[in-house]
Amino acid sequence: MMDATLLVIAKAPVPGFAKTRLMAAMTAEDAASVAAAALLDTLAAARQAPFARRVVAMTGDLAEAMRSDEIRKSLAYFDVIDQRGDGFTERLIHAHHDAAGSGPVVQIGMDTPQVDPAMLTDIGEALAPSSAILGRAEDGGWWVLGLHDASDAQALRAVEMSTDRTGDDTRDALQRCGLVVGAAPTLRDADELVDLDPIARQCHPNSEFARCVAALPVSRPTGETL
């Protein structure tokens, strides 16, 4: 058991609230179903990773979410806290503090359902004093941030989120704080329609995400079918 906290930043998969970029290609309910499947698989991987504490920082109304009963059952294995702060950056910083105080933390989102327990374990075990680990996303952002000291999340104040430079800017901000930034594997975020099938192929065929994507009633671009 690692003396570290695994922190999942999550948004309740409410239609019209979660995965809104997918709504150009499908209904709000189907987009929220994709979000629910991704969250369930992420939580399943997180439960199996040997962290001392597992925390979910949640925003949104689970009562209105797709597959809310299943999500609530999965959340029983986690300490659930509310996200707080204005803007995504503030919510990330507060979540690191609220989840772990000044201890080690590995923070992920719910957009990479292909993540597995071994990957999370490797990241947690690699954290050392004066270090951080950053896992890039293919779109230029990042999907995982490991910090030996959660207070170093303050470095995110200098970073604009959700751009194609967010990954580079986050690395630079951490280095300016004197941290040695190691690299985790690069993964693809499930943000757009073209992302779904490639990610589903990386998941177990019986995973929630793979089954959800296979059942979507949408036309896919050439070369992106399962």
Side-chain angles (χ1 to χ4, degrees):
M1 184 72 68
M2 289 180 290
D3 185 20
T5 296
L6 180 58
L7 169 63
V8 181
I9 304 295
K11 177 183 285 190
V14 176
F17 178 65
K19 290 294 170 203
T20 54
R21 277 187 275 178
L22 290 177
M23 289 166 52
M26 63 187 71
T27 66
E29 289 74 17
D30 284 339
S33 292
V34 171
L39 177 56
L40 286 166
D41 283 343
T42 300
L43 294 177
R47 286 202 308 272
Q48 297 175 56
F51 285 77
R53 188 178 182 216
R54 300 172 188 85
V55 178
V56 174
M58 179 70 70
T59 186
D61 186 357
L62 268 180
E64 302 296 326
M66 304 295 289
R67 305 181 69 173
S68 60
D69 288 345
E70 294 167 77
I71 293 169
R72 287 185 189 279
K73 289 179 182 178
S74 189
L75 289 174
Y77 296 90
F78 296 80
D79 294 327
V80 181
I81 61 176
D82 291 330
Q83 293 182 27
R84 61 186 182 91
D86 296 327
F88 187 51
T89 299
E90 285 290 326
R91 295 199 301 272
L92 285 177
I93 294 169
H94 285 308
H96 276 256
H97 176 271
D98 294 345
S102 61
V105 61
V106 173
Q107 178 247 308
I108 61 175
M110 53 183 277
D111 294 335
T112 50
Q114 69 272 47
V115 71
D116 60 48
M119 194 180 301
L120 296 173
T121 301
D122 288 345
I123 293 168
E125 291 179 340
L127 284 174
S130 299
S131 78
I133 296 180
L134 191 66
R136 303 298 190 93
E138 291 184 9
D139 62 5
W142 51 267
W143 69 272
V144 63
L145 174 61
L147 296 172
H148 189 267
D149 188 330
S151 65
D152 287 324
Q154 294 288 338
L156 297 177
R157 293 189 187 279
V159 179
E160 182 181 358
M161 296 295 167
S162 302
T163 77
D164 59 5
R165 282 201 50 83
T166 295
D168 289 339
D169 292 345
T170 301
R171 177 204 59 206
D172 294 347
L174 294 168
Q175 288 176 337
R176 287 195 297 271
C177 292
L179 299 177
V180 177
V181 184
T186 298
L187 296 182
R188 186 169 184 165
D189 281 336
D191 289 328
E192 308 284 352
L193 180 62
V194 296
D195 299 323
L196 303 188
D197 284 342
I199 292 172
R201 286 194 291 270
Q202 294 180 320
C203 297
H204 190 280
N206 288 329
S207 68
E208 301 294 344
F209 191 81
R211 288 188 292 170
C212 177
V213 170
L216 286 174
V218 298
S219 298
R220 295 177 171 83
T222 303
E224 292 291 349
T225 54
L226 281 171

